[in-house]
Amino acid sequence: MDDWADRQDTVGTPGPAPAGGAASGNGKPGDAGAHNGSRPAGDRAELAFFTDEGTPARLLAAYWGDLPSGQQRRALRARPMTLGEDWRVLQYRLSHTARGDHRARDRLEAEVGVGLAVRRAFGDAPYHQLFARFGGYHLDVREPFVFYEPARGRPLAALAGRATVKEQERIRSELVLAVRLLEAVGVVHRGLTPYTVRWDGRHVRLPEPCLATRAGHPREALGEAPWASPEQRDGRGTADSRDDLWSVAQMMYHLATGREGEPDGPPRDLARLPALGVLSTAYAHRAEERGHPVEVLRMLNRQDPLQGRPLPADPLEPGRRAFDEELARKRTELGLDDDPDAEPGAGRVPGRGLRALFGAGRTGTGGRR
């Protein structure tokens, strides 16, 4: 079923690409947002955005107060909103006061690129439910944003030491599959922990890809032990899908025992946990010593769903190229392109942007059902 088609009754007639995000009666983007509190659902403003297929759309939006600081991301503000009659989503937006934070801008662009790539590749597949449900975005507004449908289920941490054998097997299999699928589109998630991955009793769901990067890009020092791999925490070498496999192995140890594993290698009692034997290489200190996701799937007696089935060609390639060109022009106008005088720690991280993440002509407004 086409979820977006189900909402067509409430979507305004698509015209030119949306140009202004939310606007209240005085036409200023973002004025409809609540400040330090919720607004009544009847107090609405029109929101212009691109759908997960890259289609321009407009919906009436009811905004609620920003989430508490502990639920915010660095430089981004999170708030629930209701689009149309009952489409509840969670929006992350880059405040206009943080527009000088090029690192945050680049990460937001990269996040949108990952969301589009995953949607384009797997949106009509039975395993699309493994990923955060990308709803829409707009990058060419005063406060760029992305939004998702709310995640179902509970964090895996809630099951630590209490999950049944059957649950552990299902969770392990789906986590490895999700890492394999991300590998196929050249993405390393880098944000997998038992506090961010959720389980609804049937499927796992990965968190939003706000820390994702392209495989082969230089690693940044990122994450905490034991969930992030040693080389990822240290920022050594280049990103690899086996960084995510390390995270999967650590989560499964936590799920099985209720304890945290070793920060730099296999847990000391691994031999007494036969259910984790298929993940034994994933605990290796170096990515090069870990098995690849396809190899771990094989050990789980699960077929690689992409074997002999290359990812389909993108039918929206011309539109995506046009979007990339327009985005590049806008970034130049706003002074968001590479600043040769910017300090690496406070400015942009080379290659973090959406265009750099997926290459020219592959990002923009696309998706596929």
Side-chain angles (χ1 to χ4, degrees), residues 49 178 190 195 241 250 349 358 362:
F49 61 96
R190 306 196 303 177
Y195 306 101
S241 62
Q250 293 291 342
V349 177
F358 287 99
R362 291 195 58 199

Side-chain angles (χ1 to χ4, degrees), residues 6 10 16 28 35-36 51 58 83 99 132 157 161 175 182 203 224-225 240 260 270 277 300 322-323 331-332 339 353:
D6 293 342
T10 52
K28 294 180 181 179
H35 181 65
N36 294 332
T51 73
R58 295 175 182 272
L83 297 176
R99 50 185 294 138
L175 285 174
L182 289 178
H203 299 290
E224 297 180 355
D240 190 300
E260 293 186 1
L270 182 61
L300 291 171
F323 178 89
R331 287 181 66 88
T332 300
D339 180 357

Side-chain angles (χ1 to χ4, degrees), residues 22 32-34 39 41 44-49 59-67 78-93 135-138 145-150:
R39 337 184 51 152
R44 298 178 172 226
E46 188 176 73
L47 180 73
F49 61 96
L59 282 174
L60 289 178
Y63 296 92
W64 308 94
D66 286 347
L67 295 180
R79 64 182 174 186
M81 62 182 183
T82 302
L83 297 176
E85 293 302 317
D86 58 3
W87 187 18
R88 297 182 181 181
V89 298
L90 182 61
Q91 181 197 57
Y92 296 93
R93 72 189 190 281
Y137 67 98
H138 204 328
F145 64 84
V146 62
F147 62 83
Y148 298 86
E149 295 185 2

